[in-house]
Structures are given as C-alpha cells and as structure tokens.
Amino acid sequence: MSSSNFPIGVFDSGVGGLSVLRAMREQMPNESVIYFGDQGHVPYGPRSMEQIQKFSEGITRFLLEQSSKLIVVACNTASAAALKYLRGRFPDVPFVGMEPAVKPAAETTKTGRVGVLATPATFQGALYASVVERFGAGVELFQHTCPGLVGQIENGDLESNATRAILEDALTPMLEKNIDTVVLGCTHYPFVIPLIQEIAGGQARVIDPAPAVSRQVRRLLEVHGLVHESGKIGSADFFTSGDAATMEMLLPKLLGEGGKVQTVHWDDDLKITPR
Ligand code: DGL
C-alpha cells in the first residue's frame, strides 16, 4: 500500500481533539484516521511542560507504529508544550499543531477587545507569547483558564448549570469590558459554543479554529504528496488510555459518528501498548 493511503494520526489529552477530527472528516472523508485520547492523563492544562512533552512523544511513537503518515496535535496545550520538541525528535514526520486564533480575531474585532479561553499551560508557553507578539498589537486580550471545563466536557456535560457557571465566570467580566470576539484556545471548548453564544447574547463572535486547522492538514498532505488516492470513505480507529466505554458513548455526540474504542496501557517507561 502506498504511504498516501496510510492513516492520519490525531491526538489530544482526551475528547477535545474530536472537534478537529470532526472538521477533518467533513473536509477529507476519504482519509483514514487514528485518534488517540490520553484520558488516563487528562487534563494536561495544569501539568508541567516536561510531562506533556513525554506524553506527547509516547503518543507520537504509538501513532507512528500504526503507520500514521502525518500527526495532528489536536490539543493547544500539547502544541504549546511539545510541538517544537516533537519536530526535533521526529524530523521526518509532518506535524500540524494548534495555536490560539488571535490573528483572525485581531483582524476582525471592532471594539479592539478579544477574550481568549485556554488552559494554564497554553497561556504559559512560548507559543502563546509569540502569537500575542506577532498578532496582538493594538488589541486588548482578556484571558481565562476556565478551571473545570475540560472535566465537564470529558463527562459529556455540555449544558448543565455547573458547565454554564464555569463559562459565566470566565465570560461575564470580559463581556463587561466590551469584548466582541471569543477565541477558543482549547480543542475541548468548541463543544460548548452554543452555551457560550447564549451567555454572550449576540455581543461576541466565537472563533472555532478546527476548520482552518483541517485545511492546513489538507495543504500539508498535498505538499508531501500524501493525499489519499481511493474514492472510498476512510476508516476511523480510536484509542484511549482511559475508559473505552466512556469514549465510545461520547463519540456520536461529539464527533457525529460512532466507533469502536480500544484501551491502551502506558508502561512505566512511557511506552504505549495495546491491552
Ligand atoms: N484539549 C486541550 C487543549 O486544546 C487540552 C485540555 C486539557 O487536557 O487540559 O488545550
């Protein structure tokens, strides 16, 4: 089989990367994908850069063992902590990562005030500092880490009062400061866009970066001559380091398609093996 027919590997700390995968499945239905959610370690947001790098390296090795032709780091936190590191460790592998969409926000805001929701590790990383430096000039950015929101989404809790309260805490002070744009700097957050829109009440536009990231995946496949050749619908395989039944239950709700999820195990030396 030609390597262009190999799958695309996609990973996140949990189910967040499914927001990126959803866009990829819409835009490139012929591509096969392997999705890895590191639910044994979620959330990544409060962890150290070193730890996130080690997890990301182990997952990348695992995805390459499954013949992935390109790796999508469908996690802002892992991209902030480990994308540069991964490119150094695997120089021959094409990677696509995430960065908070400050650029399109800065280009379109009318009030010059933008809210950014992301995890602590994403805000601390050099990637975010560089995004702000390159694109944030003349724009006032209001940041919030939404503590607990990733956990709510991992539980499939997209609309309860508890989830709403976390978002209200984050958004109300920003809305009072007259933001007109909300950047979702965490791949879990697109799943609560309806709630964000309800809280913002028409005052703010929400930027979901997934479609743009998916287009970037497509561009990189073309550059490397790796676009899938057959006209068939690509397969989707799912792995988790947590509970397979939980992810299986969430797939139809978050991805819009179901699938079989396999549980894998992390060894003490941070190698992943199928159970
Ligand atoms: N989905 C993640 C992100 O994009 C990580 C959330 C977490 O594990 O804290 O940042």
Coordinates of all heavy atoms in Angstrom, one line a residue, residues 34 36 58 61-63 65-66 238-242 261-267 271-275:
I34 N -6.6 7.7 12.8 CA -6.4 7.1 14.0 C -6.5 8.1 15.1 O -5.6 9.1 15.1 CB -5.1 6.3 14.1 CG1 -5.0 5.3 13.1 CG2 -4.9 5.7 15.5 CD1 -3.7 4.5 13.1
F36 N -6.2 9.2 19.1 CA -5.7 8.8 20.4 C -6.1 9.9 21.5 O -5.7 11.0 21.4 CB -4.2 8.6 20.5 CG -3.7 8.1 21.8 CD1 -3.5 6.7 21.9 CD2 -3.5 8.9 22.8 CE1 -3.1 6.2 23.2 CE2 -3.0 8.4 24.1 CZ -2.8 7.1 24.2
G58 N 5.4 9.8 23.6 CA 4.9 8.4 23.7 C 3.8 8.2 22.7 O 3.7 7.2 22.0
R61 N 5.0 8.2 19.1 CA 5.6 6.9 18.7 C 4.5 5.8 18.4 O 4.6 5.1 17.5 CB 6.5 6.4 19.9 CG 7.8 7.0 19.9 CD 8.8 6.3 20.9 NE 9.8 7.2 21.2 CZ 10.7 7.7 20.4 NH1 10.8 7.3 19.2 NH2 11.6 8.6 20.8
F62 N 3.5 5.8 19.3 CA 2.4 4.9 19.1 C 1.7 5.1 17.8 O 1.5 4.1 17.0 CB 1.4 5.0 20.3 CG 0.2 4.1 20.1 CD1 0.3 2.8 20.4 CD2 -1.0 4.7 19.8 CE1 -0.9 2.0 20.2 CE2 -2.1 3.9 19.6 CZ -2.1 2.6 19.8
L63 N 1.4 6.3 17.5 CA 0.7 6.6 16.2 C 1.6 6.3 15.0 O 1.0 5.8 14.0 CB 0.3 8.1 16.2 CG -0.8 8.5 17.2 CD1 -1.0 10.0 17.2 CD2 -2.2 7.8 16.9
E65 N 3.8 3.9 15.0 CA 3.8 2.4 14.9 C 2.5 1.9 14.2 O 2.5 0.8 13.6 CB 3.8 1.8 16.3 CG 5.2 1.8 17.0 CD 5.2 1.6 18.5 OE1 4.1 1.2 19.0 OE2 6.2 2.0 19.1
Q66 N 1.5 2.7 14.2 CA 0.2 2.4 13.5 C 0.3 2.9 12.1 O -0.7 3.1 11.4 CB -1.0 2.9 14.2 CG -1.1 2.8 15.7 CD -1.0 1.4 16.2 OE1 -1.7 0.6 15.7 NE2 -0.2 1.2 17.2
F238 N -10.1 4.3 17.1 CA -10.0 5.1 18.3 C -9.3 4.4 19.4 O -9.6 3.2 19.6 CB -11.4 5.5 18.7 CG -12.2 6.3 17.7 CD1 -13.0 5.6 16.8 CD2 -12.1 7.7 17.7 CE1 -13.7 6.3 15.8 CE2 -12.8 8.4 16.7 CZ -13.6 7.7 15.8
F239 N -8.4 5.1 20.1 CA -7.7 4.5 21.2 C -7.7 5.5 22.4 O -7.7 6.7 22.2 CB -6.2 4.3 20.9 CG -6.0 3.3 19.8 CD1 -5.9 3.6 18.4 CD2 -5.8 1.9 20.1 CE1 -5.7 2.7 17.4 CE2 -5.6 1.0 19.1 CZ -5.6 1.4 17.8
T240 N -7.8 4.9 23.6 CA -7.8 5.7 24.8 C -6.9 5.1 25.8 O -6.8 3.8 25.9 CB -9.2 6.0 25.4 OG1 -9.1 6.8 26.5 CG2 -9.9 4.7 25.7
S241 N -6.3 5.9 26.6 CA -5.5 5.4 27.8 C -6.5 5.4 29.0 O -6.0 5.1 30.1 CB -4.3 6.2 28.1 OG -4.6 7.5 28.3
G242 N -7.7 5.7 28.8 CA -8.7 5.7 29.9 C -9.7 4.6 29.7 O -9.4 3.5 29.3
V261 N -13.7 1.7 20.4 CA -12.6 2.3 21.0 C -11.8 1.2 21.7 O -12.4 0.4 22.4 CB -13.0 3.4 22.1 CG1 -11.8 4.0 22.8 CG2 -13.9 4.5 21.4
Q262 N -10.5 1.2 21.5 CA -9.6 0.3 22.2 C -8.8 0.9 23.3 O -8.3 2.0 23.2 CB -8.6 -0.2 21.2 CG -8.8 -1.7 20.7 CD -7.8 -2.0 19.7 OE1 -8.0 -1.7 18.5 NE2 -6.7 -2.6 20.0
T263 N -8.7 0.2 24.5 CA -8.0 0.8 25.6 C -6.5 0.4 25.4 O -6.2 -0.8 25.1 CB -8.5 0.2 26.9 OG1 -9.9 0.6 27.0 CG2 -7.8 0.9 28.1
V264 N -5.6 1.3 25.7 CA -4.2 1.0 25.7 C -3.6 1.3 27.0 O -4.2 2.0 27.9 CB -3.4 1.8 24.6 CG1 -3.8 1.4 23.2 CG2 -3.6 3.3 24.8
H265 N -2.4 0.9 27.2 CA -1.8 0.9 28.5 C -0.5 1.7 28.4 O 0.3 1.5 27.5 CB -1.6 -0.5 29.0 CG -0.9 -0.7 30.2 ND1 -1.4 -0.4 31.4 CD2 0.4 -1.1 30.5 CE1 -0.5 -0.6 32.4 NE2 0.6 -1.1 31.8
W266 N -0.2 2.6 29.4 CA 1.1 3.2 29.5 C 2.1 2.4 30.3 O 1.7 2.1 31.5 CB 1.0 4.6 30.1 CG 0.4 5.7 29.3 CD1 -0.8 6.1 29.3 CD2 1.2 6.5 28.4 NE1 -1.0 7.2 28.4 CE2 0.2 7.5 27.9 CE3 2.5 6.6 28.0 CZ2 0.6 8.4 26.9 CZ3 2.9 7.6 27.0 CH2 1.9 8.5 26.5
D267 N 3.2 2.0 29.8 CA 4.2 1.3 30.6 C 4.9 2.3 31.5 O 4.8 3.5 31.3 CB 5.3 0.7 29.7 CG 4.8 -0.5 29.0 OD1 3.7 -1.0 29.3 OD2 5.5 -0.9 28.0
K271 N 5.9 4.0 27.4 CA 5.6 3.4 26.1 C 4.2 2.9 26.1 O 3.7 2.4 27.2 CB 6.6 2.2 25.9 CG 6.5 1.7 24.5 CD 7.5 0.6 24.2 CE 7.2 -0.3 23.0 NZ 6.3 0.2 22.0
I272 N 3.5 3.1 25.0 CA 2.1 2.6 25.0 C 1.9 1.3 24.3 O 2.5 1.1 23.2 CB 1.2 3.7 24.1 CG1 1.3 5.0 24.8 CG2 -0.2 3.2 24.0 CD1 0.8 6.2 24.0
T273 N 1.2 0.4 24.9 CA 1.0 -0.9 24.3 C -0.5 -1.2 24.3 O -1.2 -0.9 25.3 CB 1.7 -2.0 25.1 OG1 1.5 -1.8 26.5 CG2 3.2 -2.1 24.8
P274 N -1.1 -1.8 23.3 CA -2.5 -2.2 23.3 C -2.7 -3.2 24.4 O -1.9 -4.0 24.7 CB -2.7 -2.8 21.9 CG -1.6 -2.3 21.0 CD -0.4 -2.1 22.0
R275 N -3.9 -3.2 25.0 CA -4.2 -4.1 26.1 C -4.7 -5.4 25.6 O -5.4 -5.5 24.6 CB -5.3 -3.5 26.9 CG -4.8 -2.6 28.0 CD -5.5 -2.8 29.3 NE -4.9 -1.8 30.2 CZ -5.6 -1.0 31.0 NH1 -6.9 -1.0 30.9 NH2 -5.0 -0.1 31.8

